[in-house]
Amino acid sequence: MAHAETDAQGRILAADGTPLKQSLQRALRAQKMRALLLIAPLLLFVVITFVMPIGDMLLRSVQNKAGTHYVPDLIPNVAEQIEDWDPASGELPPEEVFRAMVVDLQVAFDEKNHTQLGRRFNYESPGMDSLFRTSGRRVSGLDLETDGPFREALIDINDDWGDLEYWATIKANSGYYTNSFFLAAVDMERDSTGIAQKDPDQRIYRKLLVRTLWLSAVITFCTLLLGYPVAWLLADLPARKANLLLILVLLPFWTSLLVRTSSWKILLQQEGVINDFWVWLGFVERLSLINNQLGVVIAMTHILLPFMILPLYSVMKTIPPSYLRAAKSLGATNWTAFWRVYFPQTTAGIGAGGLLVFILAVGYFITPELVGGADGTFISNRIYFQFSAIGNWGLAAALGTIMLVVVLVLYYVYDRLVGIDNVKLG
Amino acid sequence: MADGASSDAFVEFERVQKSYDGETLVVKDLNLSMPKGEFLTMLGPSGSGKTTCLMMLAGFETATHGDIRLDGTSINNIPPHKRGIGMVFQNYALFPHMTVAENLAFPLEVRGLGKSEREEKVQRALDMVQMGAFGGRRPAQLSGGQQQRIALARALVFEPELVLMDEPLGALDKQLREHMQFEITRLAHELGITTVYVTHDQTEALTMSDRVAVFDDGRIQQLAPPDVLYERPENSFVAQFIGENNTLEGVIKEIRGETCIVQLDDGEIIDANPVNVTEPGERTKVSIRPERVEYNMDRLQEGAHTLKAEVLEFVYMGDIFRTRLRVAGNEDFVIKTRNAPDQVRLKPGQQIEIGWLPQDCRALDA
């Protein structure tokens, strides 16, 4: 080092006079290219099947689309005319807006888009679906030259065109982007006076979100409680026995998730094995173990248990038994030796297992769907319902985005509290 | 030195046996007695039962049969944490999530000592191993030798009367190991603690101990001070295991009190000191240390038997010369000579005659 050549800027030079850094980079370039080529297939796969769908989801949560078209592209004239109208004035929009609606609806009807529009607005104000569906044909029969004024004409076709709330909804959702899906996802809505909470009996998503997080936390705790001793036993046994037991831990993975969940149904139901045994023991009342939160916790704890045991095991295996012996030789009781010496060294495994189980649980779908009943469903079940049964992709995407953000926030908090470097998966 | 079940014994093993599988005995009929303040080393090859003995004393293994007593009371049923025995582990077993000071405070804390008393004792123990400034560090930030010192300090901080050490210097390099050997013996003697030290390194055993117990096959083969062990091994295992040793095989011809005549397998006759041979006609392994072989005939006694030898190899080792010979068919016969100004340097191919004092050549069991 002391005798290495340097150039005018003080950079160290290689033997041929090029800067050492540049020379090193050149030497490593081939190696880097080869590494890149090796990961390219997976990278491509992840980008196409993971990053792009998530990006699409994030976009859909704010895009104001009816079917495949943006709403303002379907009602361009209305979108332009309604801008100056203030719903707070308490008056219906001016004649130009009604005329614009007739013009846009005629085009939409010709291209068979008016029902999509109706469904889009219906998400915000129930009833607008039928308003658009029923009005389509009759509006297309109007003559723009002769049949004005169109305010009366439209109200004549359907009284609901005179409803101020409906026009407010149209105004609020006439842009390319909207926050209405996110508002709906947190049980809020926009009425003529601004943004407000939904009626208490219509609030579901916040409750579902809290329930999902709470049950996931309970499940994580249960897997820790059951998995910790098992992992310890595994780490303590000689390799041959440990491997055999490890296979037993992994055995559930060889059975379909659906089969495992269904078998819990058989075990836990009213006339199921456990209840029959309960009654045989002499109890009169049968337990309701399924189609509620208890059922979800039992079944998911079982299903997610390996994800807790494996990281714990891999961490515990690296802790030599001499630590416990040392603690005892220094005068610690079994419990003190465990709690002060062994346990602190396993926190990395608890962190890894806990994070893994919690994040898996938060997104779980099949098990809560099958054994959750009415009060045991997770937010993922609602997301599925929104896009498969209702077709409201925007709301489903907004809910998904919120879940993503919540998990990322939790991850961040965890990182600040525990430090992600302390997490060991193997 | 006390033996058997003497009353002033501090640590006692009486007829102790240990089996892990119920089929083979790892420790067979162990009897050992240590007075207070002694530094005793258990030396032996791996699998000889020495570590098992230490673990039984510490309480991590239970004796299958027999009695282990500490200061007169049987400790067979006392759990390890109530025995009050300090222990230094092979890889130190310093708790990685605690600082050095916390590690040292741990045994005091579980004993319920107050904060100020703890801090004082911790500091004193750290100063004792010259690590006074390292209390705030984590074990991972220390070098091997420093970790070793901390492990020692932790085992001593609660002032136990008995300290066990399980190959504590195994992970250190040679120079540091020699330094720590000295350090440990100094501390042990200064503090007057009784020490049981386990190692497979014979140099360590010889340099550190008051007495050495040589283990093999689950038994103590010989229990003696280092000089006795080296100079007067009682059987061929000890002779082979301790130090470098030349072995010649033969048959006892005649025993005359302190000396005997041995006829080697190639017919040569030598003088030897009968140790654990009794009858003429018995097979024997005679053992002679490389530095006790003489090839300067002037120094031999009148009428001593000598052997012909051929020099095979000469190795210059600095302080000594190591010469390999062919003697009575044995091609691994080694002699060591001091590098003195007048010393002869033998050359390969040279034919010489060698001999020794009869008392240096020990006729042992075959």
Side-chain angles (χ1 to χ4, degrees):
Chain A
M1 268 302 283
H3 300 288
E5 299 287 330
T6 54
D7 66 2
Q9 287 101 53
R11 291 178 303 182
I12 299 168
L13 298 181
D16 62 353
T18 54
L20 190 59
K21 274 200 177 148
Q22 207 176 313
S23 177
L24 178 70
Q25 262 170 19
R26 200 179 311 136
L28 293 179
R29 193 169 300 147
Q31 220 175 326
K32 276 188 188 158
M33 285 302 294
R34 200 164 51 224
L36 202 66
L37 272 177
L38 281 171
I39 62 159
L42 177 64
L43 194 66
L44 211 65
F45 179 79
V46 168
V47 166
I48 292 174
T49 62
F50 189 71
V51 176
M52 282 170 41
I54 287 181
D56 186 55
M57 178 191 79
L58 294 177
L59 279 178
R60 271 176 196 269
S61 65
V62 291
Q63 283 171 339
N64 188 20
K65 275 186 171 178
T68 52
H69 303 278
Y70 282 101
V71 170
D73 289 343
L74 291 177
I75 48 166
N77 296 304
V78 176
E80 194 189 328
Q81 294 291 340
I82 207 165
E83 213 157 292
D84 298 328
W85 174 65
D86 179 15
S89 64
E91 287 177 28
L92 282 173
E95 170 64 16
E96 297 86 67
V97 177
F98 281 88
R99 189 188 143 83
M101 179 58 83
V102 171
V103 173
D104 290 342
L105 267 182
Q106 283 180 346
V107 177
F109 181 76
D110 286 345
E111 292 172 0
K112 309 234 179 306
N113 282 329
H114 65 296
T115 50
Q116 305 268 29
L117 263 178
R119 202 175 303 149
R120 168 68 190 91
F121 289 126
N122 199 60
Y123 298 149
E124 314 297 331
S125 302
M128 288 185 80
D129 189 17
S130 67
L131 173 64
F132 273 75
R133 200 150 14 89
T134 54
S135 305
R137 182 167 300 280
R138 293 185 60 190
V139 170
S140 77
L142 293 174
D143 188 330
L144 286 172
E145 303 300 324
T146 58
D147 289 339
F150 292 100
R151 184 193 300 209
E152 283 70 27
L154 275 177
I155 293 173
D156 188 42
I157 288 170
N158 192 325
D159 285 347
D160 287 346
W161 287 111
D163 191 329
L164 194 78
E165 285 294 326
Y166 284 175
W167 283 103
T169 302
I170 292 172
K171 179 180 163 65
N173 294 289
S174 58
Y176 282 94
Y177 295 95
T178 177
N179 57 8
S180 62
F181 295 126
F182 276 105
L183 287 176
V186 292
D187 296 330
M188 313 270 265
E189 63 185 353
R190 195 189 292 102
D191 57 19
S192 51
T193 56
I195 293 168
Q197 297 247 19
K198 278 190 181 168
D199 296 334
D201 61 331
Q202 284 184 19
R203 294 178 201 162
I204 48 172
Y205 295 115
R206 265 186 292 177
K207 201 175 81 185
L208 261 178
L209 184 68
V210 170
R211 180 199 291 165
T212 303
L213 295 175
W214 164 244
L215 285 183
S216 297
V218 170
I219 290 161
T220 307
F221 182 74
C222 289
T223 56
L224 177 65
L225 213 62
L226 295 176
Y228 198 94
V230 177
W232 197 0
L233 179 73
L234 281 173
D236 221 29
L237 283 174
R240 261 188 51 191
K241 281 185 192 164
N243 283 338
L244 186 75
L245 280 184
L246 208 57
I247 289 175
L248 292 182
V249 170
L250 294 173
L251 205 61
F253 282 134
W254 303 348
T255 326
S256 152
L257 173 62
L258 216 54
V259 173
R260 273 179 284 157
T261 304
S262 310
S263 44
W264 274 113
K265 256 187 130 98
I266 294 168
L267 281 172
L268 298 177
Q269 63 194 341
Q270 282 284 314
E271 306 295 322
V273 179
I274 290 174
N275 261 319
D276 284 348
F277 183 67
W278 183 253
V279 169
W280 180 82
L281 283 177
F283 294 93
V284 181
E285 195 110 344
R286 281 179 179 264
L287 306 163
S288 55
L289 299 168
I290 203 162
N291 295 331
N292 54 22
Q293 300 190 357
L294 181 66
V296 175
V297 170
I298 293 174
M300 280 180 66
T301 298
H302 164 246
I303 287 164
L304 294 173
L305 200 52
F307 294 101
M308 180 60 89
I309 293 177
L310 292 178
L312 276 177
Y313 169 65
S314 75
V315 167
M316 286 175 176
K317 235 175 69 156
T318 63
I319 303 173
S322 61
Y323 286 130
L324 272 180
R325 289 186 160 183
K328 284 183 210 167
S329 84
L330 293 170
T333 58
N334 287 339
W335 169 252
T336 313
F338 166 75
W339 185 246
R340 294 282 314 279
V341 174
Y342 193 82
F343 183 79
Q345 294 187 64
T346 59
T347 46
I350 294 173
L355 211 59
L356 202 60
V357 169
F358 184 80
I359 289 178
L360 281 173
V362 159
Y364 237 62
F365 169 73
I366 292 179
T367 307
E369 181 77 22
L370 291 182
V371 302
D375 69 339
T377 49
F378 276 23
I379 198 146
S380 50
N381 302 108
R382 200 66 198 178
I383 294 174
Y384 174 74
F385 174 76
Q386 278 300 339
F387 78 76
S388 80
I390 310 284
N392 190 351
W393 285 73
L395 180 55
L399 286 169
T401 304
I402 287 173
M403 279 318 289
L404 185 65
V405 170
V406 165
V407 169
L408 288 177
V409 166
L410 284 173
Y411 182 84
Y412 174 77
V413 169
Y414 183 89
D415 185 29
R416 294 305 298 268
L417 289 180
V418 184
I420 212 69
D421 305 342
N422 290 332
V423 167
K424 268 193 231 160
L425 275 173
Chain B
M1 293 292 150
D3 59 16
S6 99
S7 57
D8 66 338
F10 184 57
V11 178
E12 265 182 301
F13 284 77
E14 193 187 332
R15 311 217 58 182
V16 172
Q17 292 181 310
K18 172 71 186 175
S19 173
Y20 286 106
D21 55 5
E23 285 166 18
T24 49
L25 283 171
V26 185
V27 174
K28 303 168 182 165
D29 195 21
L30 183 87
N31 293 288
L32 177 72
S33 153
M34 283 175 73
K36 222 173 181 135
E38 186 180 45
F39 195 115
L40 182 129
T41 298
M42 294 178 170
L43 174 69
S46 49
S48 59
K50 57 188 193 307
T51 301
T52 306
C53 281
L54 197 75
M55 290 302 164
M56 285 193 287
L57 189 51
F60 299 125
E61 300 289 354
T62 47
T64 314
H65 175 83
D67 217 10
I68 302 174
R69 283 192 289 272
L70 186 62
D71 211 5
T73 33
S74 169
I75 54 170
N76 284 17
N77 294 319
I78 298 178
H81 66 270
K82 289 192 179 148
R83 295 191 180 191
I85 298 175
M87 185 151 180
V88 180
F89 288 82
Q90 203 165 2
N91 294 310
Y92 319 134
L94 295 175
F95 307 140
H97 57 291
M98 299 184 188
T99 64
V100 164
E102 284 166 350
N103 261 284
L104 262 70
F106 184 81
L108 306 173
E109 213 180 309
V110 298
R111 283 174 173 75
L113 265 69
K115 195 163 184 283
S116 58
E117 201 179 349
R118 270 194 330 244
E119 278 169 4
E120 187 196 320
K121 287 197 173 195
V122 166
Q123 196 53 46
R124 208 188 311 148
L126 283 175
D127 290 338
M128 181 176 73
V129 292
Q130 285 116 51
M131 293 287 289
F134 292 84
R137 301 262 191 108
R138 298 253 167 183
Q141 295 167 307
L142 303 178
S143 71
Q146 291 171 329
Q147 291 185 27
Q148 168 61 55
R149 284 163 189 273
I150 298 304
L152 193 60
R154 191 179 65 176
L156 297 174
V157 70
F158 59 100
E159 292 158 18
E161 291 188 302
L162 175 64
V163 175
L164 313 181
M165 304 193 191
D166 183 14
E167 311 216 10
L169 305 179
L172 303 182
D173 61 56
K174 188 166 174 290
Q175 218 170 351
L176 204 53
R177 197 160 60 217
E178 279 164 10
H179 181 72
M180 286 306 295
Q181 284 170 13
F182 168 74
E183 197 94 323
I184 288 173
T185 31
R186 182 183 62 84
L187 272 174
H189 285 130
E190 261 178 32
L191 301 173
I193 38 178
T194 314
T195 313
V196 179
Y197 191 98
V198 162
T199 183
H200 63 263
D201 181 336
Q202 42 155 313
T203 325
E204 223 165 86
L206 294 180
T207 52
M208 299 175 78
S209 331
D210 295 327
R211 281 195 304 164
V212 180
V214 181
F215 274 70
D216 185 48
D217 194 27
R219 285 179 209 278
I220 295 183
Q221 301 290 333
Q222 187 171 358
L223 172 61
D227 53 338
V228 176
L229 207 61
Y230 185 79
E231 285 164 28
R232 300 205 292 278
E234 278 171 7
N235 58 40
S236 49
F237 174 80
V238 177
Q240 305 264 7
F241 192 73
I242 307 285
E244 206 168 0
N245 184 59
N246 294 307
T247 308
L248 298 170
E249 293 192 39
V251 179
I252 304 289
K253 292 302 281 181
E254 198 183 327
I255 301 183
R256 259 180 301 180
E258 291 292 287
T259 58
C260 67
I261 309 282
V262 178
Q263 180 167 35
L264 300 181
D265 288 349
D266 69 338
E268 301 249 27
I269 302 286
I270 57 168
D271 300 315
N273 172 12
V275 179
N276 56 357
V277 288
T278 46
E279 297 283 319
E282 209 175 320
R283 278 202 68 76
T284 180
K285 276 183 180 164
V286 295
S287 138
I288 170 110
R289 296 288 179 200
E291 67 275 14
R292 297 292 168 96
V293 178
E294 197 58 70
Y295 57 91
N296 184 344
M297 289 305 123
D298 303 342
R299 294 193 198 143
L300 278 185
Q301 274 174 331
E302 197 71 21
H305 286 102
T306 58
L307 287 174
K308 286 192 174 48
E310 184 192 347
V311 179
L312 296 176
E313 193 182 19
F314 175 84
V315 182
Y316 178 85
M317 294 179 76
D319 53 345
I320 56 161
F321 303 145
R322 189 173 185 276
T323 315
R324 192 161 63 84
L325 308 173
R326 182 189 291 126
V327 175
N330 181 354
E331 297 199 347
D332 281 317
F333 198 97
V334 172
I335 60 175
K336 283 180 185 166
T337 43
R338 208 160 58 84
N339 183 0
D342 59 338
Q343 192 62 264
V344 187
R345 299 189 184 189
L346 297 168
K347 292 181 183 58
Q350 208 175 332
Q351 300 290 334
I352 57 169
E353 260 191 285
I354 57 165
W356 44 75
L357 300 176
Q359 63 265 33
D360 288 337
C361 177
R362 299 168 66 81
L364 303 166
D365 55 300

